[in-house]
Amino acid sequence: MTLRGTNQESGRPFNRRIVLESIRLHGPTTRGDIAARVGLTVQTVSTIVRELEEQGLTLSVREEPKGRGIPPSKLTINPEGGHAVGIHLTPLGIEAALVNLRGDVVESRRRDASNPTPDEAFTLIRDMVSELKASPLRGRLLGAGLALPGPFDVESMSFVGPTTMTGWKNVDILQRLAAATDLPVFIENDMAAAALGEQLYGFGQQFSDYYYLFFSVGLGGAMLNDGVVMRGAWGNAGEIGHIPAIPDGEPCPCGNRGCLERYLSLDAYRRRGLTEAEWVCEVAPMFRHAIRTIENLFDPQTVVIGGLAPQSLIDQLATLVDGLDNSVSARANRTSPRVVAARDCQHSALRGAAALAVYGILSPRYGQMFET
Ligand SMILES: [Zn+2]
């Protein structure tokens, strides 16, 4: 992780976020180590740490002295310093969970719902969130984050076809979410949320530049560049599902033909009616082309596969790493595989959605909540 701080005054919320992230990824850690890692002065880090401690988000621990002198105190995330509600809306159903500051899913709910309308979805969300609020395991609630399928705000592409959801155009999602949860709310597309969840609680501790391939009903993804999701001008960068794979191939609801996700997605797998092993064998060349494209475009340390697909399918796709085509990533001095399966990928988007709320809460807009 190499996120760097900024010395501009306007960068303070960002600095709080990266200091918290550094503690989360590297704790127990000292103020000096954090400062070196994020490029801020020790004094600035100490000021931020004091705020985080006052808000109950981090803890100081002092190790037993081993020799002469007192070792510097170290900082860790206070897992019970608060909970956020992560919500993941998919074309198959809705999940909601209480997530603590360490990223542990403390309690969760799931409702099956095929392509829910906004009214159906927000009714279910209201129910689930009120159940989670009543949980005896719940601590201070920081907010709620919602991950939902993209792409966002592309007139002709948004929410069309079997891989996304219909009836969600022109819906004020933030306002509906706030009304359903009665909490500070944040939204993100599911690929970016999953990539963020993976960054904080998964491979982010190992890699800072990787592409997260989001294998869902459709196919999407996001590039983590220096630990930050590359968003593009409108937040849709990395939307790999609609790149052309087969000239004049199968028609796609986006209006084009031969899009990658017509062949490589959970929807494609289900339409094909094969066993997992048969299907993975069949799509292997297509999958390897996709990886070659991603590698040549982004030059990632690795490609992490996750998403809504069953873990067994994700694991089998990851085995196709043997036999990948040549690309800029096929270097001899690699220390990690070119493709790895996300662990616990089913929870990545939920955790990422919860993390949105934690970070959002660190911004000045909500800062007054924690003033003592
Ligand atoms: Zn398409």
PDB file of all heavy atoms in Angstrom, residues 213 215 219 260 264 280 282-294 303 305 314 316-321 324-325 339:
ATOM      1  N   LEU A 213     -11.326  -8.317 -11.264  1.00  0.00           N
ATOM      2  CA  LEU A 213     -12.303  -8.771 -12.253  1.00  0.00           C
ATOM      3  C   LEU A 213     -13.555  -9.214 -11.508  1.00  0.00           C
ATOM      4  O   LEU A 213     -13.517 -10.175 -10.733  1.00  0.00           O
ATOM      5  CB  LEU A 213     -11.705  -9.929 -13.065  1.00  0.00           C
ATOM      6  CG  LEU A 213     -12.543 -10.451 -14.232  1.00  0.00           C
ATOM      7  CD1 LEU A 213     -12.742  -9.377 -15.296  1.00  0.00           C
ATOM      8  CD2 LEU A 213     -11.865 -11.670 -14.860  1.00  0.00           C
ATOM      9  N   PHE A 215     -16.749 -10.899 -11.422  1.00  0.00           N
ATOM     10  CA  PHE A 215     -17.481 -11.918 -12.150  1.00  0.00           C
ATOM     11  C   PHE A 215     -18.847 -12.072 -11.511  1.00  0.00           C
ATOM     12  O   PHE A 215     -19.013 -12.734 -10.490  1.00  0.00           O
ATOM     13  CB  PHE A 215     -16.692 -13.223 -12.092  1.00  0.00           C
ATOM     14  CG  PHE A 215     -17.100 -14.211 -13.129  1.00  0.00           C
ATOM     15  CD1 PHE A 215     -16.443 -14.272 -14.343  1.00  0.00           C
ATOM     16  CD2 PHE A 215     -18.160 -15.065 -12.902  1.00  0.00           C
ATOM     17  CE1 PHE A 215     -16.833 -15.181 -15.309  1.00  0.00           C
ATOM     18  CE2 PHE A 215     -18.555 -15.970 -13.870  1.00  0.00           C
ATOM     19  CZ  PHE A 215     -17.883 -16.032 -15.070  1.00  0.00           C
ATOM     20  N   LEU A 219     -20.252  -9.007 -16.352  1.00  0.00           N
ATOM     21  CA  LEU A 219     -18.812  -9.012 -16.090  1.00  0.00           C
ATOM     22  C   LEU A 219     -18.337  -7.570 -16.013  1.00  0.00           C
ATOM     23  O   LEU A 219     -18.620  -6.770 -16.907  1.00  0.00           O
ATOM     24  CB  LEU A 219     -18.085  -9.733 -17.235  1.00  0.00           C
ATOM     25  CG  LEU A 219     -16.586  -9.946 -17.039  1.00  0.00           C
ATOM     26  CD1 LEU A 219     -16.315 -11.010 -15.984  1.00  0.00           C
ATOM     27  CD2 LEU A 219     -15.932 -10.359 -18.368  1.00  0.00           C
ATOM     28  N   LEU A 260     -18.063  -9.141 -24.520  1.00  0.00           N
ATOM     29  CA  LEU A 260     -17.422 -10.183 -23.731  1.00  0.00           C
ATOM     30  C   LEU A 260     -18.372 -10.862 -22.746  1.00  0.00           C
ATOM     31  O   LEU A 260     -18.366 -12.075 -22.585  1.00  0.00           O
ATOM     32  CB  LEU A 260     -16.210  -9.592 -22.999  1.00  0.00           C
ATOM     33  CG  LEU A 260     -15.353 -10.554 -22.190  1.00  0.00           C
ATOM     34  CD1 LEU A 260     -14.749 -11.640 -23.065  1.00  0.00           C
ATOM     35  CD2 LEU A 260     -14.248  -9.785 -21.451  1.00  0.00           C
ATOM     36  N   LEU A 264     -18.858 -14.556 -21.155  1.00  0.00           N
ATOM     37  CA  LEU A 264     -18.077 -14.763 -19.935  1.00  0.00           C
ATOM     38  C   LEU A 264     -18.749 -14.008 -18.791  1.00  0.00           C
ATOM     39  O   LEU A 264     -18.478 -12.828 -18.567  1.00  0.00           O
ATOM     40  CB  LEU A 264     -16.654 -14.230 -20.167  1.00  0.00           C
ATOM     41  CG  LEU A 264     -15.549 -14.720 -19.244  1.00  0.00           C
ATOM     42  CD1 LEU A 264     -15.392 -16.229 -19.324  1.00  0.00           C
ATOM     43  CD2 LEU A 264     -14.231 -14.042 -19.603  1.00  0.00           C
ATOM     44  N   VAL A 280     -16.041 -23.996 -17.901  1.00  0.00           N
ATOM     45  CA  VAL A 280     -14.730 -23.353 -17.747  1.00  0.00           C
ATOM     46  C   VAL A 280     -13.808 -23.792 -18.880  1.00  0.00           C
ATOM     47  O   VAL A 280     -13.059 -22.992 -19.457  1.00  0.00           O
ATOM     48  CB  VAL A 280     -14.122 -23.666 -16.359  1.00  0.00           C
ATOM     49  CG1 VAL A 280     -12.646 -23.285 -16.314  1.00  0.00           C
ATOM     50  CG2 VAL A 280     -14.892 -22.920 -15.274  1.00  0.00           C
ATOM     51  N   GLU A 282     -14.763 -24.723 -21.845  1.00  0.00           N
ATOM     52  CA  GLU A 282     -15.236 -24.102 -23.086  1.00  0.00           C
ATOM     53  C   GLU A 282     -14.823 -22.636 -23.201  1.00  0.00           C
ATOM     54  O   GLU A 282     -14.442 -22.168 -24.275  1.00  0.00           O
ATOM     55  CB  GLU A 282     -16.769 -24.220 -23.164  1.00  0.00           C
ATOM     56  CG  GLU A 282     -17.363 -23.628 -24.424  1.00  0.00           C
ATOM     57  CD  GLU A 282     -18.865 -23.882 -24.522  1.00  0.00           C
ATOM     58  OE1 GLU A 282     -19.229 -25.043 -24.804  1.00  0.00           O
ATOM     59  OE2 GLU A 282     -19.658 -22.947 -24.307  1.00  0.00           O
ATOM     60  N   VAL A 283     -14.901 -21.895 -22.078  1.00  0.00           N
ATOM     61  CA  VAL A 283     -14.620 -20.456 -22.166  1.00  0.00           C
ATOM     62  C   VAL A 283     -13.148 -20.119 -21.933  1.00  0.00           C
ATOM     63  O   VAL A 283     -12.780 -18.945 -21.947  1.00  0.00           O
ATOM     64  CB  VAL A 283     -15.487 -19.626 -21.179  1.00  0.00           C
ATOM     65  CG1 VAL A 283     -16.964 -19.775 -21.500  1.00  0.00           C
ATOM     66  CG2 VAL A 283     -15.169 -19.986 -19.732  1.00  0.00           C
ATOM     67  N   ALA A 284     -12.320 -21.158 -21.745  1.00  0.00           N
ATOM     68  CA  ALA A 284     -10.907 -20.897 -21.424  1.00  0.00           C
ATOM     69  C   ALA A 284     -10.228 -19.941 -22.416  1.00  0.00           C
ATOM     70  O   ALA A 284      -9.579 -18.978 -21.993  1.00  0.00           O
ATOM     71  CB  ALA A 284     -10.142 -22.221 -21.318  1.00  0.00           C
ATOM     72  N   PRO A 285     -10.382 -20.163 -23.762  1.00  0.00           N
ATOM     73  CA  PRO A 285      -9.702 -19.235 -24.690  1.00  0.00           C
ATOM     74  C   PRO A 285     -10.210 -17.795 -24.535  1.00  0.00           C
ATOM     75  O   PRO A 285      -9.422 -16.855 -24.531  1.00  0.00           O
ATOM     76  CB  PRO A 285     -10.073 -19.787 -26.075  1.00  0.00           C
ATOM     77  CG  PRO A 285     -10.504 -21.204 -25.845  1.00  0.00           C
ATOM     78  CD  PRO A 285     -11.093 -21.231 -24.471  1.00  0.00           C
ATOM     79  N   MET A 286     -11.519 -17.638 -24.369  1.00  0.00           N
ATOM     80  CA  MET A 286     -12.123 -16.312 -24.196  1.00  0.00           C
ATOM     81  C   MET A 286     -11.597 -15.651 -22.917  1.00  0.00           C
ATOM     82  O   MET A 286     -11.258 -14.470 -22.886  1.00  0.00           O
ATOM     83  CB  MET A 286     -13.636 -16.508 -24.100  1.00  0.00           C
ATOM     84  CG  MET A 286     -14.440 -15.264 -24.060  1.00  0.00           C
ATOM     85  SD  MET A 286     -14.684 -14.609 -25.701  1.00  0.00           S
ATOM     86  CE  MET A 286     -15.922 -15.721 -26.336  1.00  0.00           C
ATOM     87  N   PHE A 287     -11.519 -16.435 -21.851  1.00  0.00           N
ATOM     88  CA  PHE A 287     -11.036 -15.925 -20.570  1.00  0.00           C
ATOM     89  C   PHE A 287      -9.580 -15.468 -20.699  1.00  0.00           C
ATOM     90  O   PHE A 287      -9.204 -14.395 -20.232  1.00  0.00           O
ATOM     91  CB  PHE A 287     -11.155 -17.027 -19.503  1.00  0.00           C
ATOM     92  CG  PHE A 287     -10.605 -16.645 -18.160  1.00  0.00           C
ATOM     93  CD1 PHE A 287     -11.371 -15.917 -17.265  1.00  0.00           C
ATOM     94  CD2 PHE A 287      -9.316 -17.007 -17.794  1.00  0.00           C
ATOM     95  CE1 PHE A 287     -10.866 -15.552 -16.028  1.00  0.00           C
ATOM     96  CE2 PHE A 287      -8.800 -16.650 -16.561  1.00  0.00           C
ATOM     97  CZ  PHE A 287      -9.579 -15.926 -15.671  1.00  0.00           C
ATOM     98  N   ARG A 288      -8.785 -16.284 -21.369  1.00  0.00           N
ATOM     99  CA  ARG A 288      -7.356 -15.939 -21.502  1.00  0.00           C
ATOM    100  C   ARG A 288      -7.182 -14.688 -22.362  1.00  0.00           C
ATOM    101  O   ARG A 288      -6.301 -13.874 -22.101  1.00  0.00           O
ATOM    102  CB  ARG A 288      -6.580 -17.130 -22.061  1.00  0.00           C
ATOM    103  CG  ARG A 288      -6.515 -18.274 -21.049  1.00  0.00           C
ATOM    104  CD  ARG A 288      -5.619 -19.421 -21.521  1.00  0.00           C
ATOM    105  NE  ARG A 288      -5.489 -20.412 -20.470  1.00  0.00           N
ATOM    106  CZ  ARG A 288      -5.819 -21.711 -20.603  1.00  0.00           C
ATOM    107  NH1 ARG A 288      -6.310 -22.158 -21.761  1.00  0.00           N
ATOM    108  NH2 ARG A 288      -5.666 -22.536 -19.592  1.00  0.00           N
ATOM    109  N   HIS A 289      -8.036 -14.521 -23.381  1.00  0.00           N
ATOM    110  CA  HIS A 289      -7.986 -13.282 -24.173  1.00  0.00           C
ATOM    111  C   HIS A 289      -8.316 -12.085 -23.289  1.00  0.00           C
ATOM    112  O   HIS A 289      -7.695 -11.026 -23.391  1.00  0.00           O
ATOM    113  CB  HIS A 289      -8.994 -13.344 -25.325  1.00  0.00           C
ATOM    114  CG  HIS A 289      -8.539 -14.199 -26.463  1.00  0.00           C
ATOM    115  ND1 HIS A 289      -9.237 -14.328 -27.634  1.00  0.00           N
ATOM    116  CD2 HIS A 289      -7.433 -14.968 -26.605  1.00  0.00           C
ATOM    117  CE1 HIS A 289      -8.602 -15.147 -28.451  1.00  0.00           C
ATOM    118  NE2 HIS A 289      -7.512 -15.557 -27.850  1.00  0.00           N
ATOM    119  N   ALA A 290      -9.316 -12.259 -22.429  1.00  0.00           N
ATOM    120  CA  ALA A 290      -9.719 -11.152 -21.544  1.00  0.00           C
ATOM    121  C   ALA A 290      -8.565 -10.764 -20.622  1.00  0.00           C
ATOM    122  O   ALA A 290      -8.273  -9.578 -20.432  1.00  0.00           O
ATOM    123  CB  ALA A 290     -10.947 -11.553 -20.728  1.00  0.00           C
ATOM    124  N   ILE A 291      -7.900 -11.766 -20.063  1.00  0.00           N
ATOM    125  CA  ILE A 291      -6.774 -11.475 -19.166  1.00  0.00           C
ATOM    126  C   ILE A 291      -5.647 -10.776 -19.932  1.00  0.00           C
ATOM    127  O   ILE A 291      -5.047  -9.811 -19.458  1.00  0.00           O
ATOM    128  CB  ILE A 291      -6.249 -12.771 -18.495  1.00  0.00           C
ATOM    129  CG1 ILE A 291      -7.349 -13.442 -17.667  1.00  0.00           C
ATOM    130  CG2 ILE A 291      -5.013 -12.479 -17.641  1.00  0.00           C
ATOM    131  CD1 ILE A 291      -7.888 -12.622 -16.518  1.00  0.00           C
ATOM    132  N   ARG A 292      -5.394 -11.239 -21.160  1.00  0.00           N
ATOM    133  CA  ARG A 292      -4.341 -10.605 -21.962  1.00  0.00           C
ATOM    134  C   ARG A 292      -4.683  -9.131 -22.229  1.00  0.00           C
ATOM    135  O   ARG A 292      -3.828  -8.251 -22.160  1.00  0.00           O
ATOM    136  CB  ARG A 292      -4.207 -11.356 -23.288  1.00  0.00           C
ATOM    137  CG  ARG A 292      -2.944 -10.981 -24.055  1.00  0.00           C
ATOM    138  CD  ARG A 292      -3.167 -10.972 -25.552  1.00  0.00           C
ATOM    139  NE  ARG A 292      -3.479 -12.280 -26.092  1.00  0.00           N
ATOM    140  CZ  ARG A 292      -3.786 -12.504 -27.383  1.00  0.00           C
ATOM    141  NH1 ARG A 292      -3.808 -11.501 -28.242  1.00  0.00           N
ATOM    142  NH2 ARG A 292      -4.091 -13.708 -27.788  1.00  0.00           N
ATOM    143  N   THR A 293      -5.968  -8.875 -22.525  1.00  0.00           N
ATOM    144  CA  THR A 293      -6.407  -7.493 -22.768  1.00  0.00           C
ATOM    145  C   THR A 293      -6.193  -6.633 -21.530  1.00  0.00           C
ATOM    146  O   THR A 293      -5.636  -5.533 -21.597  1.00  0.00           O
ATOM    147  CB  THR A 293      -7.918  -7.485 -23.144  1.00  0.00           C
ATOM    148  OG1 THR A 293      -8.101  -8.332 -24.271  1.00  0.00           O
ATOM    149  CG2 THR A 293      -8.401  -6.086 -23.452  1.00  0.00           C
ATOM    150  N   ILE A 294      -6.639  -7.156 -20.395  1.00  0.00           N
ATOM    151  CA  ILE A 294      -6.513  -6.395 -19.137  1.00  0.00           C
ATOM    152  C   ILE A 294      -5.041  -6.116 -18.837  1.00  0.00           C
ATOM    153  O   ILE A 294      -4.660  -4.989 -18.494  1.00  0.00           O
ATOM    154  CB  ILE A 294      -7.145  -7.196 -17.978  1.00  0.00           C
ATOM    155  CG1 ILE A 294      -8.662  -7.266 -18.143  1.00  0.00           C
ATOM    156  CG2 ILE A 294      -6.772  -6.584 -16.624  1.00  0.00           C
ATOM    157  CD1 ILE A 294      -9.327  -8.327 -17.262  1.00  0.00           C
ATOM    158  N   VAL A 303      -4.194 -10.088 -11.548  1.00  0.00           N
ATOM    159  CA  VAL A 303      -5.641  -9.915 -11.745  1.00  0.00           C
ATOM    160  C   VAL A 303      -6.334 -10.764 -10.684  1.00  0.00           C
ATOM    161  O   VAL A 303      -6.099 -11.972 -10.593  1.00  0.00           O
ATOM    162  CB  VAL A 303      -6.083 -10.364 -13.153  1.00  0.00           C
ATOM    163  CG1 VAL A 303      -7.592 -10.240 -13.314  1.00  0.00           C
ATOM    164  CG2 VAL A 303      -5.356  -9.565 -14.233  1.00  0.00           C
ATOM    165  N   ILE A 305      -9.720 -12.349  -9.289  1.00  0.00           N
ATOM    166  CA  ILE A 305     -11.088 -12.649  -9.728  1.00  0.00           C
ATOM    167  C   ILE A 305     -11.982 -12.805  -8.520  1.00  0.00           C
ATOM    168  O   ILE A 305     -11.675 -13.577  -7.605  1.00  0.00           O
ATOM    169  CB  ILE A 305     -11.210 -13.984 -10.502  1.00  0.00           C
ATOM    170  CG1 ILE A 305     -10.040 -14.202 -11.428  1.00  0.00           C
ATOM    171  CG2 ILE A 305     -12.507 -14.015 -11.289  1.00  0.00           C
ATOM    172  CD1 ILE A 305     -10.160 -15.544 -12.137  1.00  0.00           C
ATOM    173  N   ILE A 314     -15.156 -19.519  -9.351  1.00  0.00           N
ATOM    174  CA  ILE A 314     -14.046 -18.544  -9.327  1.00  0.00           C
ATOM    175  C   ILE A 314     -12.712 -19.302  -9.249  1.00  0.00           C
ATOM    176  O   ILE A 314     -11.763 -18.996  -9.977  1.00  0.00           O
ATOM    177  CB  ILE A 314     -14.183 -17.613  -8.098  1.00  0.00           C
ATOM    178  CG1 ILE A 314     -15.474 -16.796  -8.178  1.00  0.00           C
ATOM    179  CG2 ILE A 314     -12.954 -16.730  -7.925  1.00  0.00           C
ATOM    180  CD1 ILE A 314     -15.454 -15.640  -9.109  1.00  0.00           C
ATOM    181  N   GLN A 316     -12.028 -22.328 -10.169  1.00  0.00           N
ATOM    182  CA  GLN A 316     -11.714 -23.032 -11.419  1.00  0.00           C
ATOM    183  C   GLN A 316     -11.238 -22.081 -12.503  1.00  0.00           C
ATOM    184  O   GLN A 316     -10.326 -22.398 -13.265  1.00  0.00           O
ATOM    185  CB  GLN A 316     -12.935 -23.804 -11.914  1.00  0.00           C
ATOM    186  CG  GLN A 316     -13.227 -25.025 -11.076  1.00  0.00           C
ATOM    187  CD  GLN A 316     -14.227 -25.928 -11.777  1.00  0.00           C
ATOM    188  OE1 GLN A 316     -13.986 -26.390 -12.890  1.00  0.00           O
ATOM    189  NE2 GLN A 316     -15.339 -26.175 -11.136  1.00  0.00           N
ATOM    190  N   LEU A 317     -11.859 -20.903 -12.576  1.00  0.00           N
ATOM    191  CA  LEU A 317     -11.397 -19.914 -13.565  1.00  0.00           C
ATOM    192  C   LEU A 317      -9.943 -19.529 -13.288  1.00  0.00           C
ATOM    193  O   LEU A 317      -9.151 -19.350 -14.209  1.00  0.00           O
ATOM    194  CB  LEU A 317     -12.296 -18.666 -13.537  1.00  0.00           C
ATOM    195  CG  LEU A 317     -13.662 -18.824 -14.198  1.00  0.00           C
ATOM    196  CD1 LEU A 317     -14.551 -17.628 -13.862  1.00  0.00           C
ATOM    197  CD2 LEU A 317     -13.534 -18.952 -15.720  1.00  0.00           C
ATOM    198  N   ALA A 318      -9.616 -19.411 -11.990  1.00  0.00           N
ATOM    199  CA  ALA A 318      -8.250 -19.018 -11.633  1.00  0.00           C
ATOM    200  C   ALA A 318      -7.217 -20.063 -12.064  1.00  0.00           C
ATOM    201  O   ALA A 318      -6.058 -19.726 -12.306  1.00  0.00           O
ATOM    202  CB  ALA A 318      -8.147 -18.754 -10.131  1.00  0.00           C
ATOM    203  N   THR A 319      -7.654 -21.320 -12.204  1.00  0.00           N
ATOM    204  CA  THR A 319      -6.692 -22.354 -12.635  1.00  0.00           C
ATOM    205  C   THR A 319      -6.290 -22.156 -14.096  1.00  0.00           C
ATOM    206  O   THR A 319      -5.291 -22.720 -14.544  1.00  0.00           O
ATOM    207  CB  THR A 319      -7.252 -23.793 -12.488  1.00  0.00           C
ATOM    208  OG1 THR A 319      -8.344 -23.947 -13.396  1.00  0.00           O
ATOM    209  CG2 THR A 319      -7.690 -24.080 -11.074  1.00  0.00           C
ATOM    210  N   LEU A 320      -7.064 -21.343 -14.849  1.00  0.00           N
ATOM    211  CA  LEU A 320      -6.728 -21.114 -16.254  1.00  0.00           C
ATOM    212  C   LEU A 320      -5.474 -20.259 -16.397  1.00  0.00           C
ATOM    213  O   LEU A 320      -5.019 -19.973 -17.502  1.00  0.00           O
ATOM    214  CB  LEU A 320      -7.903 -20.444 -16.981  1.00  0.00           C
ATOM    215  CG  LEU A 320      -9.198 -21.267 -17.034  1.00  0.00           C
ATOM    216  CD1 LEU A 320     -10.307 -20.468 -17.705  1.00  0.00           C
ATOM    217  CD2 LEU A 320      -8.972 -22.570 -17.781  1.00  0.00           C
ATOM    218  N   VAL A 321      -4.919 -19.821 -15.254  1.00  0.00           N
ATOM    219  CA  VAL A 321      -3.659 -19.065 -15.265  1.00  0.00           C
ATOM    220  C   VAL A 321      -2.564 -19.875 -15.951  1.00  0.00           C
ATOM    221  O   VAL A 321      -1.664 -19.316 -16.582  1.00  0.00           O
ATOM    222  CB  VAL A 321      -3.261 -18.659 -13.824  1.00  0.00           C
ATOM    223  CG1 VAL A 321      -2.926 -19.873 -12.976  1.00  0.00           C
ATOM    224  CG2 VAL A 321      -2.093 -17.686 -13.826  1.00  0.00           C
ATOM    225  N   LEU A 324      -1.806 -19.104 -19.981  1.00  0.00           N
ATOM    226  CA  LEU A 324      -2.130 -17.746 -20.413  1.00  0.00           C
ATOM    227  C   LEU A 324      -1.262 -17.343 -21.599  1.00  0.00           C
ATOM    228  O   LEU A 324      -0.124 -17.791 -21.735  1.00  0.00           O
ATOM    229  CB  LEU A 324      -1.894 -16.749 -19.261  1.00  0.00           C
ATOM    230  CG  LEU A 324      -2.959 -16.639 -18.177  1.00  0.00           C
ATOM    231  CD1 LEU A 324      -2.531 -15.608 -17.143  1.00  0.00           C
ATOM    232  CD2 LEU A 324      -4.311 -16.268 -18.766  1.00  0.00           C
ATOM    233  N   ASP A 325      -1.807 -16.459 -22.429  1.00  0.00           N
ATOM    234  CA  ASP A 325      -1.064 -15.956 -23.588  1.00  0.00           C
ATOM    235  C   ASP A 325       0.061 -15.026 -23.129  1.00  0.00           C
ATOM    236  O   ASP A 325       0.078 -14.560 -21.991  1.00  0.00           O
ATOM    237  CB  ASP A 325      -2.015 -15.138 -24.487  1.00  0.00           C
ATOM    238  CG  ASP A 325      -3.268 -15.908 -24.836  1.00  0.00           C
ATOM    239  OD1 ASP A 325      -3.167 -17.128 -25.036  1.00  0.00           O
ATOM    240  OD2 ASP A 325      -4.348 -15.281 -24.913  1.00  0.00           O
ATOM    241  N   VAL A 339      -2.963 -14.476 -12.245  1.00  0.00           N
ATOM    242  CA  VAL A 339      -4.384 -14.467 -11.874  1.00  0.00           C
ATOM    243  C   VAL A 339      -4.531 -15.143 -10.517  1.00  0.00           C
ATOM    244  O   VAL A 339      -3.949 -16.203 -10.294  1.00  0.00           O
ATOM    245  CB  VAL A 339      -5.234 -15.230 -12.912  1.00  0.00           C
ATOM    246  CG1 VAL A 339      -6.666 -15.382 -12.451  1.00  0.00           C
ATOM    247  CG2 VAL A 339      -5.190 -14.530 -14.271  1.00  0.00           C
TER     248      VAL A 339
END
